[in-house]
């Protein structure tokens, strides 16, 4: 398979793409895989491309770490 776009895949292929990408969804992990599968459900359903879902996720992500403070250039008027 060369493309993972909705137009180039079937629902079954999209389910497999998500399952293979996430890894062991039935294993005894910390419970995060169920949330990831839910996050990618619009892709499986053919509503949103993976790229759109990832961009929306990144837009909402906050690390909680403050960025660097702006340094003074030293130029005074």
């Amino acid at each position: 398979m060369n493309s993972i776009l909705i137009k180039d895949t079937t629902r079954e292929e999209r389910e497999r793409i998500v399952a293979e990408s996430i890894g062991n969804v039935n294993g005894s992990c910390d419970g995060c895989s169920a949330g990831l599968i839910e996050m990618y459900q619009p892709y499986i359903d053919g509503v949103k491309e993976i790229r759109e879902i990832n961009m929306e996720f990144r837009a909402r992500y906050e690390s909680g770490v403050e960025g660097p403070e702006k340094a003074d250039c030293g130029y005074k008027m």
Side-chain angles (χ1 to χ4, degrees), residues 1 4 9 13-21 43 50:
M1 176 185 321
I4 60 169
T9 56
E13 289 171 325
R14 292 189 298 271
E15 287 174 342
R16 186 172 35 83
I17 290 166
V18 170
E20 289 174 359
S21 298
Y43 170 69
I50 288 178

Side-chain angles (χ1 to χ4, degrees), residues 66-76:
E66 296 289 328
E69 291 189 22
K70 193 172 187 178
D72 186 10
C73 67
Y75 180 74
K76 304 284 185 198

Side-chain angles (χ1 to χ4, degrees), residues 16-63:
R16 186 172 35 83
I17 290 166
V18 170
E20 289 174 359
S21 298
I22 292 172
N24 186 5
V25 296
N26 295 323
S28 58
C29 70
D30 62 359
C32 64
S33 61
L36 288 174
I37 292 173
E38 184 178 313
M39 182 173 99
Y40 288 105
Q41 192 63 47
Y43 170 69
I44 294 170
D45 293 339
V47 177
K48 291 183 181 180
E49 296 290 352
I50 288 178
R51 181 176 188 271
E52 294 174 280
I53 295 168
N54 289 340
M55 287 174 55
E56 290 172 0
F57 176 78
R58 283 188 215 121
R60 289 190 302 259
Y61 177 76
E62 292 183 35
S63 68

